Amino acid sequence: MDVTAEVALECLERMVVIRAVEEGICAEYSNRNIRGPVHLSIGQEAMAVGVLNVCRPEDVAVSTHRDHAHYLAKGGSVGAMIDELYGLESGCSRGYGGSMHLFSGEANFMGASAVLPGSTPIAVGLGLGCKLDGRRAVAVGFSGDGASDEGSFFEALNLAAVLKLPVLFVCENNGLSTNTPLAARQAQTDISAKARAFGLVAANADAVDVFAVRRAAAEVLDHVRSTSQPAVLALTADRLCAHVGPVSTIDPIDTGAMLAEAANGATRDPIASCVGAILRDEPQLRGECIEILEGVPTRIAAEFRRANAAFEDRNAVAGLVAPPPPKSHTV
Ligand SMILES: Cc1ncc(C[n+]2csc(CCOP(=O)(O)OP(=O)(O)O)c2C)c(N)n1
Ligand SMILES: [Mg+2]
């Protein structure tokens, strides 16, 4: 680890917050008080956390349909996000947006576009705003590898390079667009190589390791900030959940199981990988790690109970009754 104990625990805590919120969604969704599609980030938490941990509060970020991790890693309120999922007025988009339209002006999280590759040209506009304001802030545009199937992704890169805009384009390569592998969609699968062809600096990192992401992000951000030239950071990790829907392919956080997985050097779970790195280099932090793994999910579960009760109270007052879940799908 090339970070202080404080930063290491901060990264772990943020990833556990993201995981626990998404596990909460999985647990609550079948009650049908949370509606609308949800795209989880389970397995990809280190991408958002590694990048945004080295950003400054004044930097602005924009995301995609898979925006939970980016909103939370940028400092968006947990309670306001959960309220948003329940469609409450206290939600971060006043209950109108839902999972794919999280927003936090306070945290400089400028929302999300679910239309591919919407976040990429929006990041160019945000970068232009940063440059014109003379704020020395950077615009960070997250997108999936599927966004790079689209022509306007490359138009956005080109425009940012021509106008010399302080934009960091983060390509989250989970190897899939819905369920189609990258190699079945693109002849040249090295996204960094294509970015370099447009004159951008580009770097890669394995996003199972949050500290590797952090290191690579710090380097490219430094370049963007000091030169006002855009850069691309291409990150790879596995999506350990379904493309859409509250379906995780790994078990909810269990401290014992997580500590055992942390000892597996080949793990693809970024939280286990982070715990493993901390325990290897700073074994005296075991107690702090356990406290995060146990304490965070308990606090998040309480937030879900609070929002669920507020949802039911509101519906009772408004005379609305949610229809019962279907007993069977057979007709
Ligand atoms: C213009 C456009 N075409 C198709 C879709 C449908 N769609 C939603 S998510 C998705 C896959 C996106 O893959 P990627 O960008 O790699 O992000 P990931 O879901 O893997 O995080 C597609 C094709 C869309 N939202 N917008
Ligand atoms: Mg993808």
mmCIF file of all heavy atoms in Angstrom, residues 242-284:
data_model
loop_
_atom_site.group_PDB
_atom_site.id
_atom_site.type_symbol
_atom_site.label_atom_id
_atom_site.label_comp_id
_atom_site.label_asym_id
_atom_site.label_seq_id
_atom_site.Cartn_x
_atom_site.Cartn_y
_atom_site.Cartn_z
ATOM 1 N N ALA A 242 -26.033 -8.682 -11.800
ATOM 2 C CA ALA A 242 -26.691 -8.682 -13.103
ATOM 3 C C ALA A 242 -26.520 -7.308 -13.754
ATOM 4 O O ALA A 242 -26.245 -6.320 -13.071
ATOM 5 C CB ALA A 242 -28.174 -8.976 -12.914
ATOM 6 N N HIS A 243 -26.702 -7.227 -15.087
ATOM 7 C CA HIS A 243 -26.638 -5.917 -15.749
ATOM 8 C C HIS A 243 -27.640 -4.964 -15.109
ATOM 9 O O HIS A 243 -27.309 -3.827 -14.796
ATOM 10 C CB HIS A 243 -26.933 -6.057 -17.254
ATOM 11 C CG HIS A 243 -27.232 -4.742 -17.905
ATOM 12 N ND1 HIS A 243 -26.283 -3.750 -18.033
ATOM 13 C CD2 HIS A 243 -28.390 -4.228 -18.407
ATOM 14 C CE1 HIS A 243 -26.832 -2.675 -18.601
ATOM 15 N NE2 HIS A 243 -28.108 -2.949 -18.832
ATOM 16 N N VAL A 244 -28.862 -5.428 -14.944
ATOM 17 C CA VAL A 244 -29.913 -4.596 -14.350
ATOM 18 C C VAL A 244 -30.739 -5.449 -13.409
ATOM 19 O O VAL A 244 -30.845 -6.654 -13.600
ATOM 20 C CB VAL A 244 -30.782 -3.927 -15.456
ATOM 21 C CG1 VAL A 244 -31.546 -4.941 -16.277
ATOM 22 C CG2 VAL A 244 -31.749 -2.889 -14.863
ATOM 23 N N GLY A 245 -31.278 -4.800 -12.371
ATOM 24 C CA GLY A 245 -32.095 -5.530 -11.404
ATOM 25 C C GLY A 245 -31.300 -5.784 -10.143
ATOM 26 O O GLY A 245 -30.078 -5.709 -10.142
ATOM 27 N N PRO A 246 -32.038 -6.039 -9.054
ATOM 28 C CA PRO A 246 -31.357 -6.201 -7.762
ATOM 29 C C PRO A 246 -30.798 -7.610 -7.603
ATOM 30 O O PRO A 246 -31.235 -8.370 -6.747
ATOM 31 C CB PRO A 246 -32.491 -5.924 -6.766
ATOM 32 C CG PRO A 246 -33.718 -6.377 -7.493
ATOM 33 C CD PRO A 246 -33.497 -6.164 -8.954
ATOM 34 N N VAL A 247 -29.842 -7.972 -8.441
ATOM 35 C CA VAL A 247 -29.318 -9.334 -8.414
ATOM 36 C C VAL A 247 -27.799 -9.302 -8.281
ATOM 37 O O VAL A 247 -27.082 -8.940 -9.212
ATOM 38 C CB VAL A 247 -29.685 -10.101 -9.715
ATOM 39 C CG1 VAL A 247 -29.187 -11.544 -9.621
ATOM 40 C CG2 VAL A 247 -31.184 -10.064 -9.953
ATOM 41 N N SER A 248 -27.319 -9.683 -7.092
ATOM 42 C CA SER A 248 -25.881 -9.779 -6.862
ATOM 43 C C SER A 248 -25.477 -11.229 -7.068
ATOM 44 O O SER A 248 -26.229 -12.136 -6.729
ATOM 45 C CB SER A 248 -25.570 -9.341 -5.432
ATOM 46 O OG SER A 248 -24.231 -9.637 -5.129
ATOM 47 N N THR A 249 -24.294 -11.432 -7.628
ATOM 48 C CA THR A 249 -23.838 -12.815 -7.809
ATOM 49 C C THR A 249 -22.900 -13.239 -6.684
ATOM 50 O O THR A 249 -22.342 -14.325 -6.714
ATOM 51 C CB THR A 249 -23.130 -12.988 -9.177
ATOM 52 O OG1 THR A 249 -22.038 -12.069 -9.237
ATOM 53 C CG2 THR A 249 -24.076 -12.714 -10.324
ATOM 54 N N ILE A 250 -22.694 -12.343 -5.687
ATOM 55 C CA ILE A 250 -21.913 -12.746 -4.506
ATOM 56 C C ILE A 250 -22.742 -12.505 -3.246
ATOM 57 O O ILE A 250 -23.720 -11.756 -3.274
ATOM 58 C CB ILE A 250 -20.542 -12.024 -4.413
ATOM 59 C CG1 ILE A 250 -20.708 -10.500 -4.405
ATOM 60 C CG2 ILE A 250 -19.623 -12.448 -5.528
ATOM 61 C CD1 ILE A 250 -19.412 -9.764 -4.099
ATOM 62 N N ASP A 251 -22.310 -13.132 -2.154
ATOM 63 C CA ASP A 251 -23.090 -13.051 -0.912
ATOM 64 C C ASP A 251 -22.971 -11.670 -0.274
ATOM 65 O O ASP A 251 -21.973 -10.981 -0.458
ATOM 66 C CB ASP A 251 -22.581 -14.095 0.086
ATOM 67 C CG ASP A 251 -22.901 -15.499 -0.395
ATOM 68 O OD1 ASP A 251 -23.889 -15.657 -1.136
ATOM 69 O OD2 ASP A 251 -22.142 -16.429 -0.045
ATOM 70 N N PRO A 252 -24.006 -11.273 0.511
ATOM 71 C CA PRO A 252 -23.902 -10.022 1.272
ATOM 72 C C PRO A 252 -22.684 -10.051 2.193
ATOM 73 O O PRO A 252 -22.208 -11.134 2.546
ATOM 74 C CB PRO A 252 -25.199 -9.984 2.088
ATOM 75 C CG PRO A 252 -26.130 -10.918 1.409
ATOM 76 C CD PRO A 252 -25.284 -11.954 0.731
ATOM 77 N N ILE A 253 -22.221 -8.842 2.572
ATOM 78 C CA ILE A 253 -21.018 -8.753 3.419
ATOM 79 C C ILE A 253 -21.222 -9.545 4.712
ATOM 80 O O ILE A 253 -22.203 -9.356 5.429
ATOM 81 C CB ILE A 253 -20.700 -7.286 3.775
ATOM 82 C CG1 ILE A 253 -20.279 -6.520 2.520
ATOM 83 C CG2 ILE A 253 -19.572 -7.227 4.821
ATOM 84 C CD1 ILE A 253 -19.999 -5.042 2.764
ATOM 85 N N ASP A 254 -20.270 -10.441 4.954
ATOM 86 C CA ASP A 254 -20.223 -11.184 6.210
ATOM 87 C C ASP A 254 -18.755 -11.083 6.640
ATOM 88 O O ASP A 254 -17.859 -11.419 5.869
ATOM 89 C CB ASP A 254 -20.634 -12.640 5.951
ATOM 90 C CG ASP A 254 -20.303 -13.526 7.136
ATOM 91 O OD1 ASP A 254 -21.135 -13.594 8.044
ATOM 92 O OD2 ASP A 254 -19.198 -14.116 7.161
ATOM 93 N N THR A 255 -18.540 -10.558 7.852
ATOM 94 C CA THR A 255 -17.171 -10.221 8.248
ATOM 95 C C THR A 255 -16.229 -11.420 8.155
ATOM 96 O O THR A 255 -15.139 -11.316 7.584
ATOM 97 C CB THR A 255 -17.165 -9.620 9.665
ATOM 98 O OG1 THR A 255 -18.040 -8.497 9.644
ATOM 99 C CG2 THR A 255 -15.781 -9.157 10.070
ATOM 100 N N GLY A 256 -16.664 -12.569 8.682
ATOM 101 C CA GLY A 256 -15.803 -13.763 8.676
ATOM 102 C C GLY A 256 -15.450 -14.171 7.251
ATOM 103 O O GLY A 256 -14.281 -14.426 6.926
ATOM 104 N N ALA A 257 -16.480 -14.218 6.392
ATOM 105 C CA ALA A 257 -16.255 -14.638 5.002
ATOM 106 C C ALA A 257 -15.367 -13.617 4.280
ATOM 107 O O ALA A 257 -14.512 -13.984 3.464
ATOM 108 C CB ALA A 257 -17.595 -14.785 4.289
ATOM 109 N N MET A 258 -15.557 -12.327 4.599
ATOM 110 C CA MET A 258 -14.760 -11.285 3.940
ATOM 111 C C MET A 258 -13.291 -11.383 4.355
ATOM 112 O O MET A 258 -12.396 -11.240 3.521
ATOM 113 C CB MET A 258 -15.336 -9.904 4.276
ATOM 114 C CG MET A 258 -14.776 -8.766 3.464
ATOM 115 S SD MET A 258 -15.019 -8.950 1.668
ATOM 116 C CE MET A 258 -16.643 -8.210 1.469
ATOM 117 N N LEU A 259 -13.047 -11.673 5.628
ATOM 118 C CA LEU A 259 -11.656 -11.811 6.092
ATOM 119 C C LEU A 259 -11.009 -13.035 5.440
ATOM 120 O O LEU A 259 -9.836 -13.006 5.064
ATOM 121 C CB LEU A 259 -11.603 -11.915 7.619
ATOM 122 C CG LEU A 259 -11.986 -10.625 8.376
ATOM 123 C CD1 LEU A 259 -12.063 -10.893 9.881
ATOM 124 C CD2 LEU A 259 -11.010 -9.488 8.092
ATOM 125 N N ALA A 260 -11.793 -14.097 5.258
ATOM 126 C CA ALA A 260 -11.246 -15.298 4.598
ATOM 127 C C ALA A 260 -10.941 -14.982 3.130
ATOM 128 O O ALA A 260 -9.878 -15.333 2.610
ATOM 129 C CB ALA A 260 -12.246 -16.449 4.705
ATOM 130 N N GLU A 261 -11.863 -14.274 2.472
ATOM 131 C CA GLU A 261 -11.661 -13.926 1.059
ATOM 132 C C GLU A 261 -10.477 -12.950 0.904
ATOM 133 O O GLU A 261 -9.781 -12.950 -0.119
ATOM 134 C CB GLU A 261 -12.959 -13.320 0.490
ATOM 135 C CG GLU A 261 -12.940 -12.959 -0.995
ATOM 136 C CD GLU A 261 -12.761 -14.150 -1.953
ATOM 137 O OE1 GLU A 261 -12.818 -15.305 -1.485
ATOM 138 O OE2 GLU A 261 -12.529 -13.906 -3.146
ATOM 139 N N ALA A 262 -10.262 -12.126 1.925
ATOM 140 C CA ALA A 262 -9.162 -11.153 1.879
ATOM 141 C C ALA A 262 -7.806 -11.855 1.769
ATOM 142 O O ALA A 262 -6.850 -11.290 1.245
ATOM 143 C CB ALA A 262 -9.199 -10.260 3.114
ATOM 144 N N ALA A 263 -7.746 -13.092 2.250
ATOM 145 C CA ALA A 263 -6.476 -13.838 2.199
ATOM 146 C C ALA A 263 -6.263 -14.485 0.831
ATOM 147 O O ALA A 263 -5.197 -15.019 0.538
ATOM 148 C CB ALA A 263 -6.471 -14.898 3.291
ATOM 149 N N ASN A 264 -7.304 -14.430 -0.020
ATOM 150 C CA ASN A 264 -7.216 -15.014 -1.362
ATOM 151 C C ASN A 264 -6.614 -13.979 -2.321
ATOM 152 O O ASN A 264 -7.285 -13.030 -2.729
ATOM 153 C CB ASN A 264 -8.638 -15.433 -1.794
ATOM 154 C CG ASN A 264 -8.713 -15.825 -3.266
ATOM 155 O OD1 ASN A 264 -7.678 -15.966 -3.930
ATOM 156 N ND2 ASN A 264 -9.933 -15.988 -3.764
ATOM 157 N N GLY A 265 -5.373 -14.166 -2.662
ATOM 158 C CA GLY A 265 -4.666 -13.197 -3.514
ATOM 159 C C GLY A 265 -5.286 -13.053 -4.892
ATOM 160 O O GLY A 265 -5.011 -12.075 -5.592
ATOM 161 N N ALA A 266 -6.133 -14.011 -5.298
ATOM 162 C CA ALA A 266 -6.723 -13.959 -6.638
ATOM 163 C C ALA A 266 -8.171 -13.460 -6.600
ATOM 164 O O ALA A 266 -8.906 -13.591 -7.571
ATOM 165 C CB ALA A 266 -6.666 -15.342 -7.272
ATOM 166 N N THR A 267 -8.586 -12.890 -5.475
ATOM 167 C CA THR A 267 -9.988 -12.452 -5.375
ATOM 168 C C THR A 267 -10.321 -11.411 -6.441
ATOM 169 O O THR A 267 -9.472 -10.613 -6.829
ATOM 170 C CB THR A 267 -10.282 -11.870 -3.968
ATOM 171 O OG1 THR A 267 -11.677 -11.578 -3.896
ATOM 172 C CG2 THR A 267 -9.505 -10.596 -3.692
ATOM 173 N N ARG A 268 -11.564 -11.415 -6.895
ATOM 174 C CA ARG A 268 -12.028 -10.373 -7.829
ATOM 175 C C ARG A 268 -12.958 -9.405 -7.106
ATOM 176 O O ARG A 268 -13.593 -8.557 -7.736
ATOM 177 C CB ARG A 268 -12.750 -10.997 -9.041
ATOM 178 C CG ARG A 268 -11.895 -11.879 -9.916
ATOM 179 C CD ARG A 268 -10.686 -11.167 -10.513
ATOM 180 N NE ARG A 268 -11.036 -10.158 -11.505
ATOM 181 C CZ ARG A 268 -10.190 -9.220 -11.952
ATOM 182 N NH1 ARG A 268 -8.954 -9.164 -11.475
ATOM 183 N NH2 ARG A 268 -10.576 -8.347 -12.857
ATOM 184 N N ASP A 269 -13.060 -9.547 -5.790
ATOM 185 C CA ASP A 269 -13.901 -8.644 -5.002
ATOM 186 C C ASP A 269 -13.016 -7.490 -4.493
ATOM 187 O O ASP A 269 -12.115 -7.704 -3.678
ATOM 188 C CB ASP A 269 -14.508 -9.421 -3.822
ATOM 189 C CG ASP A 269 -15.414 -8.535 -2.953
ATOM 190 O OD1 ASP A 269 -15.264 -7.290 -2.993
ATOM 191 O OD2 ASP A 269 -16.251 -9.089 -2.227
ATOM 192 N N PRO A 270 -13.264 -6.253 -4.949
ATOM 193 C CA PRO A 270 -12.380 -5.147 -4.561
ATOM 194 C C PRO A 270 -12.382 -4.860 -3.068
ATOM 195 O O PRO A 270 -11.381 -4.362 -2.541
ATOM 196 C CB PRO A 270 -12.928 -3.953 -5.348
ATOM 197 C CG PRO A 270 -14.282 -4.343 -5.812
ATOM 198 C CD PRO A 270 -14.319 -5.830 -5.878
ATOM 199 N N ILE A 271 -13.463 -5.188 -2.371
ATOM 200 C CA ILE A 271 -13.482 -4.946 -0.920
ATOM 201 C C ILE A 271 -12.569 -5.959 -0.232
ATOM 202 O O ILE A 271 -11.735 -5.596 0.609
ATOM 203 C CB ILE A 271 -14.924 -4.996 -0.369
ATOM 204 C CG1 ILE A 271 -15.735 -3.831 -0.971
ATOM 205 C CG2 ILE A 271 -14.927 -4.944 1.156
ATOM 206 C CD1 ILE A 271 -17.169 -3.739 -0.513
ATOM 207 N N ALA A 272 -12.670 -7.219 -0.625
ATOM 208 C CA ALA A 272 -11.783 -8.239 -0.046
ATOM 209 C C ALA A 272 -10.329 -7.918 -0.380
ATOM 210 O O ALA A 272 -9.435 -8.049 0.464
ATOM 211 C CB ALA A 272 -12.162 -9.623 -0.583
ATOM 212 N N SER A 273 -10.090 -7.465 -1.604
ATOM 213 C CA SER A 273 -8.728 -7.123 -2.021
ATOM 214 C C SER A 273 -8.169 -5.982 -1.163
ATOM 215 O O SER A 273 -7.006 -6.005 -0.741
ATOM 216 C CB SER A 273 -8.752 -6.742 -3.507
ATOM 217 O OG SER A 273 -7.606 -6.037 -3.861
ATOM 218 N N CYS A 274 -9.018 -4.998 -0.868
ATOM 219 C CA CYS A 274 -8.612 -3.841 -0.070
ATOM 220 C C CYS A 274 -8.315 -4.284 1.370
ATOM 221 O O CYS A 274 -7.281 -3.926 1.936
ATOM 222 C CB CYS A 274 -9.731 -2.791 -0.115
ATOM 223 S SG CYS A 274 -9.418 -1.334 0.862
ATOM 224 N N VAL A 275 -9.206 -5.107 1.938
ATOM 225 C CA VAL A 275 -8.975 -5.606 3.302
ATOM 226 C C VAL A 275 -7.674 -6.406 3.319
ATOM 227 O O VAL A 275 -6.841 -6.259 4.225
ATOM 228 C CB VAL A 275 -10.159 -6.481 3.781
ATOM 229 C CG1 VAL A 275 -9.842 -7.144 5.115
ATOM 230 C CG2 VAL A 275 -11.433 -5.646 3.901
ATOM 231 N N GLY A 276 -7.455 -7.245 2.301
ATOM 232 C CA GLY A 276 -6.240 -8.052 2.218
ATOM 233 C C GLY A 276 -4.990 -7.181 2.215
ATOM 234 O O GLY A 276 -4.028 -7.460 2.937
ATOM 235 N N ALA A 277 -5.022 -6.103 1.415
ATOM 236 C CA ALA A 277 -3.847 -5.212 1.320
ATOM 237 C C ALA A 277 -3.601 -4.531 2.669
ATOM 238 O O ALA A 277 -2.457 -4.419 3.122
ATOM 239 C CB ALA A 277 -4.061 -4.180 0.221
ATOM 240 N N ILE A 278 -4.669 -4.086 3.315
ATOM 241 C CA ILE A 278 -4.510 -3.403 4.613
ATOM 242 C C ILE A 278 -3.930 -4.371 5.647
ATOM 243 O O ILE A 278 -2.983 -4.050 6.361
ATOM 244 C CB ILE A 278 -5.859 -2.809 5.098
ATOM 245 C CG1 ILE A 278 -6.332 -1.696 4.149
ATOM 246 C CG2 ILE A 278 -5.734 -2.277 6.527
ATOM 247 C CD1 ILE A 278 -7.724 -1.145 4.446
ATOM 248 N N LEU A 279 -4.504 -5.590 5.704
ATOM 249 C CA LEU A 279 -4.042 -6.538 6.734
ATOM 250 C C LEU A 279 -2.610 -7.015 6.479
ATOM 251 O O LEU A 279 -1.877 -7.317 7.418
ATOM 252 C CB LEU A 279 -4.996 -7.735 6.823
ATOM 253 C CG LEU A 279 -6.420 -7.403 7.299
ATOM 254 C CD1 LEU A 279 -7.241 -8.667 7.456
ATOM 255 C CD2 LEU A 279 -6.399 -6.610 8.609
ATOM 256 N N ARG A 280 -2.227 -7.057 5.205
ATOM 257 C CA ARG A 280 -0.848 -7.453 4.876
ATOM 258 C C ARG A 280 0.149 -6.387 5.357
ATOM 259 O O ARG A 280 1.147 -6.678 5.974
ATOM 260 C CB ARG A 280 -0.732 -7.632 3.359
ATOM 261 C CG ARG A 280 -0.075 -8.915 2.946
ATOM 262 C CD ARG A 280 -0.025 -9.163 1.456
ATOM 263 N NE ARG A 280 -0.545 -8.151 0.582
ATOM 264 C CZ ARG A 280 -1.749 -8.192 0.010
ATOM 265 N NH1 ARG A 280 -2.568 -9.186 0.280
ATOM 266 N NH2 ARG A 280 -2.132 -7.244 -0.814
ATOM 267 N N ASP A 281 -0.180 -5.114 5.044
ATOM 268 C CA ASP A 281 0.791 -4.032 5.314
ATOM 269 C C ASP A 281 0.620 -3.388 6.683
ATOM 270 O O ASP A 281 1.576 -2.843 7.226
ATOM 271 C CB ASP A 281 0.666 -2.935 4.235
ATOM 272 C CG ASP A 281 1.123 -3.442 2.882
ATOM 273 O OD1 ASP A 281 1.552 -4.601 2.817
ATOM 274 O OD2 ASP A 281 1.031 -2.678 1.903
ATOM 275 N N GLU A 282 -0.596 -3.402 7.214
ATOM 276 C CA GLU A 282 -0.864 -2.739 8.499
ATOM 277 C C GLU A 282 -1.750 -3.651 9.351
ATOM 278 O O GLU A 282 -2.907 -3.328 9.618
ATOM 279 C CB GLU A 282 -1.618 -1.403 8.277
ATOM 280 C CG GLU A 282 -1.006 -0.466 7.250
ATOM 281 C CD GLU A 282 -0.053 0.542 7.875
ATOM 282 O OE1 GLU A 282 0.134 0.517 9.111
ATOM 283 O OE2 GLU A 282 0.508 1.340 7.112
ATOM 284 N N PRO A 283 -1.205 -4.815 9.778
ATOM 285 C CA PRO A 283 -2.056 -5.790 10.486
ATOM 286 C C PRO A 283 -2.713 -5.229 11.744
ATOM 287 O O PRO A 283 -3.751 -5.724 12.174
ATOM 288 C CB PRO A 283 -1.096 -6.942 10.817
ATOM 289 C CG PRO A 283 0.281 -6.462 10.499
ATOM 290 C CD PRO A 283 0.175 -5.294 9.589
ATOM 291 N N GLN A 284 -2.122 -4.163 12.305
ATOM 292 C CA GLN A 284 -2.719 -3.584 13.522
ATOM 293 C C GLN A 284 -4.065 -2.909 13.230
ATOM 294 O O GLN A 284 -4.790 -2.540 14.160
ATOM 295 C CB GLN A 284 -1.743 -2.601 14.198
ATOM 296 C CG GLN A 284 -1.619 -1.229 13.561
ATOM 297 C CD GLN A 284 -0.759 -1.219 12.266
ATOM 298 O OE1 GLN A 284 -0.308 -2.265 11.800
ATOM 299 N NE2 GLN A 284 -0.578 -0.055 11.687
#
